[in-house]
Amino acid sequence: MPEAIEGIFEKYQRRSDQLIPILQDVQKEFGYIAPESVRHISRYLRISENQIFGVSSFYAQFRFTTPGRHSIKVCLGTACHVKGGATLLEMLERELGIRCGETTPDKRFDLERVACLGCCALSPVVQIDADIYSRMTVNKLSELLKQYE
Amino acid sequence: MTKKIIHITINNKKLDAHPGQTILQAAREHGIYIPSLCAMEHLASYGACRLCVVEVDGLRGFPTSCTTPVEEGMVIRTDTMEVRGLRQEVLKLLLSEHPASCLFCGEKEECKQYMGTIRKVGVITGCRYCPNDLRCELQQIAENIGLTETSYPVYYKNFPVEKYDPFYDRDYNLCILCGRCVRVCSNVRLNGTLSFKQRGRLTTIGPAFDRSHIEAGCEFCGACVTACPTGALSTKVSKWYGRPDTQIGSTCNYCAMGCKLLLQTTKTEVIDALPDYSSPVEHGIICVKGRFGITEYVHSPLRYGVPREMTPIGYNDISWEEAIEKAASKLTGLKPDECLFVVSPQLLNEDLFAAQKFIRQIKGSEEIASSFIFDLDDDAISYINLISDSEPIETIEKAQGVIAIGFDSTYGYSAIGVNVKKAVQSGACLLCINSFESNLDMLSEASFVMDTSKWADMLDLIIGFMSKDKIEKRLAGSVKTFGKDIDSACKVFLRSPDNVLIVGPGVIEAQNRDRVLGGIERLKNEFSWRIVVACPYTNLKGMLAMGAYPCFKPGDTIRQHEADKTVELRGENAHIDLKKKRKLIYLIGDTSFDILPDCDYLIYQNALPVKSSRAPDLILPVSLFTESSGTIINIEGRVLQVKEAVAPYMDSKPDWWILKRIAEKIGRPGMKFNNVGSIQGEIKKIIKGFPAVKRRVEFKRIALKGTVKKHGQGMPAAWKSSYRGVLLGDVVSGIKVIESKRMFSVQERATRAPLIEWRAI
Amino acid sequence: MNKLKKKISEAKRKWEKIEDNKEPIIYVGAASCGRAAGALELIDETDRFIQENNVSARLIQVGCIGPCYLEPLVDIKMPGQPRVSYSNVNIGLLSKILKSHLIEGTPFSKAAIGNFSNDTFMDIPPFFELPMLKPQMRIVLRNCGLIDPEDIDHYLAKDGYQGLMNALQTSPEDVIGVVRQSGIRGRGGAGFPTFKKWTVCRNTPGEQKYLICNADEGDPGAFMNRSLIESDAHAVLEGMMIAGYAIGASKGIIYIRAEYPLAIERLKKAINQMKEYGLLGKNILGSRFSFDVSIKEGAGAFVCGEETALIASIEGKRGAPRSRPPFPAISGLFGCPTIINNVETLGTLPNILRNGADWYSRIGKEGNRGTKTFSLVGKIRRTGLIEVQLGTTLREIIFDIGGGVQKPFKAIQTGGPSGGCLSEEFLDLAVDYESLASAGSIMGSGGLIIMDEDTCVVDVAKYFLDFTQKESCGKCIPCRVGTRHMVEILDRITHGEGVPEDLLTLRTLGDTIKKGALCGLGQTAPNPVLTTLRYFRNEYLEHIRDGRCRAIVCKDLIEYRVIKEKCTGCQSCVRVCPTGAISGPRSEPHNLDVTKCIKCRSCYEICRFEAIAGDAIIIRTAEKRS
């Protein structure tokens, strides 16, 4: 069992209600939830892998494929929507050639939508990695992508 | 003491209900119809389908009757216009996720009659194409609600039909996400193979990562198939039979658990076997063998229909007259050691009683062989003493310490497995010792996957930890290093007032078996561990009770009263000589061809052939347990009824009938049985109240004097299930698949180091 | 208790030093909204400036004071002067401000928006007299933007934990009585009288009870809870303790969405400080009350804002709601009696316990006591976080506080995906639970989105239904299947493929879902559609009958055109067009081929913002194609 996972388990008791915090830590550590990780969690918490998968696939936070190098999150809260957030998403889907929720084949970008980043006065908002960009336009966004390898 | 009554009103009628009931349960008790799809007996209420909505005075909106408990004075309306309208709309929405074109087609009546070729197509677009047609709960509800059309577009999910797992197919295009399968798998079977995945309209049901069911740990118990209200889950073997004609309650004969089966039959065939959740033995927790392994065995095309005789140019079909004549002539005038009789411990009590009478009369000695004796050899008596003390399955749940040795309940002994799981959920500490990964490992404190040669040492190590003087520890040479892993578990065992040891079939093929059985005995006698044996020999207790065993006459081993504790056996008398050549060998439900000595004439009384280098000279076809009436005694000592569900196949006969006719022909008296009832009348003399016995049959301990000479020929294959000597895997296709998966695990694990998991925190 | 009293007097002395500061203090609004606007860069720049210029000044990061449209906000308090607030500060402006005010001692009035005294200071008006702030009554938000949220002493200095101390001097039943008398209703959306649930829980026997703070704030466009936690976490924590004491809970859990990392950090810091001061653990302040707080992060499911789904999530299961009965107050988390209260409800409690039920019951109106925070966003001049008395009219909020709209007003959306769009005939509607419900909407958690003529209500309805569909847990049929049908119908309508029957179908579906769904998410999901159908029927009919989207939003019903007279042929748009729909040689008016145009806005934006012409491309209703 990889040390990293053992380290995570040490913080939690062997009770099934600890599942979601454990999954969150595992995803923070590895970037995604791998079948191996599910197996270890299954033995630790004594619940079947299928049940663990069933719980984790319910929540939007957890992903089961390796993440891309950069994560693009388009805010689609109401304020951003009325200021054209959907058009930004369409443009990204078109340029990157993937649908929302997918990763580009070269693993460069993940594309996601988020419900609200909380900067409604500056809509529409796009977050790339840890950087938040406000008052975005289609052209500005297109240029911005070039900065992320 | 009378139960409290709660007074409610449903549709202006005053009715009585009980505390703890839901409105739905109360309504159903009084015959008031409320449709529902996701509610099911034995499952906690779910409230997802919204069809069971009702109006309740004082509650807002339309509460679901399956989740609302009754209260004193409640006023309920189940049939107002609004309620009906809402139900129709909900059903319409449901049908937009489920292909149901036939429901509203003008020609559906004609189609029902002249089904033509529209069944068995690849894609199901309507009821007439569906294996569940005329058995489907969704169909019934649409009819009862009176839905005549649906206005919403249908979303066809276009999932491929999942056919590559054994026993049942899955067509999730028909799934309505009622959740019954998930709930029964998780909460009743405690298995957790099925789970809801994702959410919203993308919700699906299945194992993790789109694995196959066999990879995901499915036990193929069929509980989900039984629960499914639509045709999404359907049994492969009986998919297209339609509605069964009758249902007969009987007992499974595949192992000593003795689970109740509700056999579904058409006029001539057993097409399905369903669990009975009210059965006191296993409470409906049955395994794949009983659930799906019956039809293909009892209706195998390889079954013998008429007696056959070997001739220089092959087999000849002969009549029963001729067959019995032949057998009788061959048996007349033989000396005791010139013939050998072998019975199967899976025969019914009545057949075993007849068999032992036959053998003792015709042969005149105590040399009654059985596959049990072949397998267990000189450990047979030790094993018998264990099963005598085997405790009721229900009691496992209360244990606080559990050891499972040589046990895996994935494909058998489900009720024991589920009870162990329940015990662990309540906080019990579990240790597992096996030669491959078992389904209980996940719940264990520590699990040891190790070669069987080490098991005896392992038990000694545990005993060492449990004893006060710790001298024992030095005996556990090869496994000393595991001391730290069992330390905390043993501390729990010492504190616990109730420990149970599950003796699995793996023990039968263990090396150093005598030491393993000895260790188990010590835990039982010195440390007060209760024993539950998962015994593959269906009617072993019956075999002992009926006296179909060397040196034990009928009733010799049964405890008639409290003080009746032991019975003696001189070891040298119980030996079966497998070296000496015989003139005649008679196999009754046995197929041990490979270890039997040479003989001049071989009589084979069974239902199916086996591959072997020896061809029997005379084949006598028997009718199987689905075609006979009788009883067995299960591992707990319960006398369980086996009922005839269909007529015997062609000209096959029950074992007792064949033996009686031969005995008559030879001219021996005493086998005057005309029917099963008269045999049971004789058995009544040794078991009070037989066959309707309320109490468990208790057995004496066998005190062995001297030793039983080893015959050394046995090749027990405890993990390959068989019935009457025929491997289920050879006859039931799915069983072969799952057993080869297990064998694969065995081979793989043989090379791996034992797995030790996390210590208790 | 005495130890705490000592700490309080120390804290008050510390606060004095701020009120009466001897060295300059610089405040930067650095909650999430400030950070998104660039506050962190300003902090770095300020640090650099102070170092370079060898000034001694103290920098305090404060939370959100409300008017987000003015962010980033940087305030300077010189010794002997009131605190002066500068708005929309960027790096360039910052150096000017620092030079003028910090070094030279004179406020840079051009960029100053307000001062924190009660009078005008050097032509700078009092901050709380500004038109956006004046009509507000800031009770829950009283500390936000004024204190350092990471210093418990600031909270103590402003009478923090006084409410708790008062509560502990009385019995739990008395506390419930105070809450009942105050008239406060649950601020999470349902508006259920808070004391009622508490009473049921109090009266249910049980060794272990739980108090859960619902900080899942899933409504897109709502950030009131987040701002409160980031700016004044202790208010919420004190409220949790008061509630826990009242119901007899010994464990408090904050269920907060993982998308709020700063809020989570602030909570963790606050909890540690509480432990140091003896405010958590056994026998708090010498009483018999023991309480511990832990944090559970949500994992990205809007439905987990619903009580039973939230409980399922904490139990490690899928976040699917379950039927009630049994009610969480009787059998909730792990089967124990549980109370779930919203962040704002809890944040209000310290004020009630400190100032008394009488005081609170005189605010607001009959049956709707107290204040409510709202996030005011959308097509309005002054966006931000506000707090007003219940009973204030929409008109006051939009036009007095919000500064009105630039383009003609169309609708106001309240209550998020569970609420509805109200047209201008409702501008004089009082904001209270009953009035909003009777208009077909709900109060919700407090999101208010203003829409003008550039917003298509059909598109907005589709947007909300789409959101609900994606967040539906999928357990019950009406929500899982019904909302899907509704989204598809709306989709067709926005693509110009609607038929008149669709309106009736939408109403029938809405009705079925409202009556049949298992939980609040499903039961309120049709509200955006049903209200827009009621109040904006004509827009639907225009889409269906005329194929026209009057707000020029629905892509299939609009087209882009080049105005030849204005086009200078600068080729800026040609460069960015992804399909080559726009073309033309340099210095000649360009052509736009509508059959290739995918309406991505690239040309429109570049012409507006960067090209020479500035308005040569327009978007308008598509000509009807036969």
Side-chain angles (χ1 to χ4, degrees), chain B residues 639-713:
Chain B
V639 176
L640 301 170
Q641 311 293 323
V642 173
K643 284 224 192 73
E644 185 178 322
V646 287
Y649 175 68
M650 285 184 73
D651 218 359
S652 59
K653 300 285 181 203
D655 291 288
W656 64 265
W657 184 96
I658 302 172
L659 296 170
K660 162 198 147 77
R661 294 290 304 276
I662 297 177
E664 272 176 355
K665 202 66 184 197
I666 297 178
R668 293 303 173 100
M671 299 259 302
K672 285 199 177 15
F673 316 124
N674 290 324
N675 50 37
V676 172
S678 43
I679 309 181
Q680 292 178 336
E682 292 214 23
I683 301 176
K684 216 182 197 147
K685 298 178 196 151
I686 54 163
I687 300 179
K688 255 204 309 241
F690 193 87
V693 185
K694 293 280 185 331
R695 303 181 52 196
R696 283 162 227 254
V697 179
E698 307 248 354
F699 289 79
K700 299 181 199 173
R701 214 180 148 68
I702 301 175
L704 186 61
K705 297 282 186 256
T707 51
V708 178
K709 193 156 151 224
K710 224 177 156 73
H711 58 68
Q713 302 287 333

Side-chain angles (χ1 to χ4, degrees), chain C residues 240-262:
Chain C
M240 280 182 77
M241 299 192 62
I242 294 171
Y245 178 66
I247 62 172
S250 58
K251 287 210 169 97
I253 301 175
I254 304 174
Y255 187 83
I256 181 165
R257 50 199 310 239
E259 291 89 326
Y260 286 172
L262 181 59

Side-chain angles (χ1 to χ4, degrees), chain C residues 318-571:
Chain C
R318 289 165 62 88
R322 59 161 176 78
S323 296
R324 286 169 286 184
F327 291 91
I330 299 177
S331 169
L333 184 62
F334 303 124
C336 304
T338 306
I339 286 291
I340 301 180
N341 280 135
N342 176 262
V343 166
E344 192 177 331
T345 316
L346 295 170
T348 314
L349 292 174
N351 300 293
I352 296 177
L353 268 294
R354 196 179 61 242
N355 299 333
D358 259 347
W359 160 82
Y360 197 77
S361 66
R362 276 181 257 132
I363 301 169
K365 58 190 262 204
E366 180 77 45
N368 282 272
R369 299 287 176 213
T371 57
K372 175 91 186 71
T373 60
F374 291 98
S375 69
L376 192 55
V377 295
K379 306 292 190 68
I380 195 168
R381 286 204 174 87
R382 301 196 276 252
T383 55
L385 180 61
I386 65 172
E387 185 177 356
V388 294
Q389 289 191 61
L390 284 175
T392 311
T393 64
L394 288 172
R395 190 182 293 280
E396 286 177 72
I397 293 177
I398 298 171
F399 293 98
D400 296 342
I401 297 177
V405 288
Q406 273 159 326
K407 291 198 165 176
F409 174 85
K410 181 183 263 188
I412 173 167
Q413 209 276 341
T414 75
S418 309
C421 294
L422 303 175
S423 55
E424 72 180 307
E425 60 191 271
F426 289 96
L427 281 174
D428 292 301
L429 189 74
V431 172
D432 65 60
Y433 292 96
E434 285 71 30
S435 305
L436 286 168
S438 66
S441 181
I442 62 168
M443 173 89 71
S445 57
L448 292 175
I449 298 146
I450 312 302
M451 301 171 194
D452 61 17
E453 61 173 16
D454 283 346
T455 319
C456 172
V457 288
V458 186
D459 179 68
V460 166
K462 186 179 97 161
Y463 163 81
F464 278 122
L465 248 308
D466 200 67
F467 175 84
T468 321
Q469 240 280 297
K470 289 201 165 59
E471 296 292 335
S472 166
C473 76
K475 180 169 168 178
C476 76
I477 292 168
C479 177
R480 180 180 81 232
V481 189
T483 54
R484 182 180 184 177
H485 283 295
M486 287 184 93
V487 170
E488 303 211 343
I489 295 175
L490 287 168
D491 204 46
R492 275 192 296 107
I493 296 178
T494 55
H495 286 306
E497 292 162 15
V499 294
E501 295 78 63
D502 284 339
L503 299 188
L504 181 57
T505 314
L506 282 173
R507 257 221 298 283
T508 315
L509 280 169
D511 199 47
T512 307
I513 300 169
K514 273 182 93 83
K515 288 199 285 206
L518 192 154
C519 80
L521 185 151
Q523 286 158 3
T524 56
N527 285 349
V529 181
L530 294 177
T531 48
T532 47
L533 275 177
R534 222 160 109 182
Y535 306 127
F536 301 93
R537 196 184 171 80
N538 286 327
E539 265 193 68
Y540 279 88
L541 289 173
E542 279 166 23
H543 279 74
I544 295 174
R545 265 198 325 240
D546 312 331
R548 178 171 165 261
C549 173
R550 63 163 82 164
I552 321 272
V553 169
C554 296
K555 288 228 168 107
D556 284 354
L557 305 179
I558 56 174
E559 65 184 17
Y560 286 47
R561 273 178 135 234
V562 177
I563 303 181
K564 303 258 190 229
E565 298 77 46
K566 300 212 172 155
C567 176
T568 63
C570 73
Q571 300 242 307

Side-chain angles (χ1 to χ4, degrees), chain A residues 87, chain C residues 555-560 597-601 625:
Chain A
T87 313
Chain C
K555 288 228 168 107
D556 284 354
L557 305 179
I558 56 174
E559 65 184 17
Y560 286 47
C597 176
I598 56 168
K599 295 146 196 168
C600 71
R601 287 180 78 90
R625 267 158 269 164

Side-chain angles (χ1 to χ4, degrees), chain B residues 378-443:
Chain B
D378 55 334
D379 294 318
I381 302 301
S382 309
Y383 194 85
I384 289 174
N385 282 334
L386 275 186
I387 64 157
S388 303
D389 289 333
S390 187
E391 303 237 354
I393 297 162
E394 282 176 330
T395 63
I396 298 171
E397 214 183 316
K398 299 181 295 190
Q400 288 173 20
V402 184
I403 295 179
I405 181 164
F407 182 74
D408 170 51
S409 70
T410 317
Y411 305 130
Y413 315 103
S414 301
I416 295 180
V418 168
N419 271 295
V420 172
K421 290 183 188 177
K422 281 190 193 163
V424 173
Q425 272 186 357
S426 309
C429 178
L430 170 66
L431 285 183
C432 294
I433 303 167
N434 204 1
S435 54
F436 56 89
E437 279 186 12
S438 79
N439 65 337
L440 296 179
D441 287 350
M442 189 174 85
L443 302 170

Side-chain angles (χ1 to χ4, degrees), chain A residues 1 43 48-50 54 57-58, chain B residues 192 198 208 211 441 757-758:
Chain A
M1 183 172 49
R43 288 300 251 111
S48 80
E49 295 185 40
N50 311 301
S57 62
F58 179 88
Chain B
Q198 296 185 285
R211 291 186 178 132
D441 287 350
E757 303 298 341
W758 298 275

Side-chain angles (χ1 to χ4, degrees), chain C residues 3 12 14 155 171 225 250 265 284 308 311 315 337 348 355 406 492 500 503 569 592:
Chain C
K3 226 172 65 181
K12 291 212 159 138
K14 208 162 126 184
Y155 185 70
S171 73
N225 294 163
S250 58
E265 203 188 296
I284 295 166
T308 53
I311 288 175
E315 289 178 347
T348 314
N355 299 333
Q406 273 159 326
R492 275 192 296 107
L503 299 188
L592 199 154

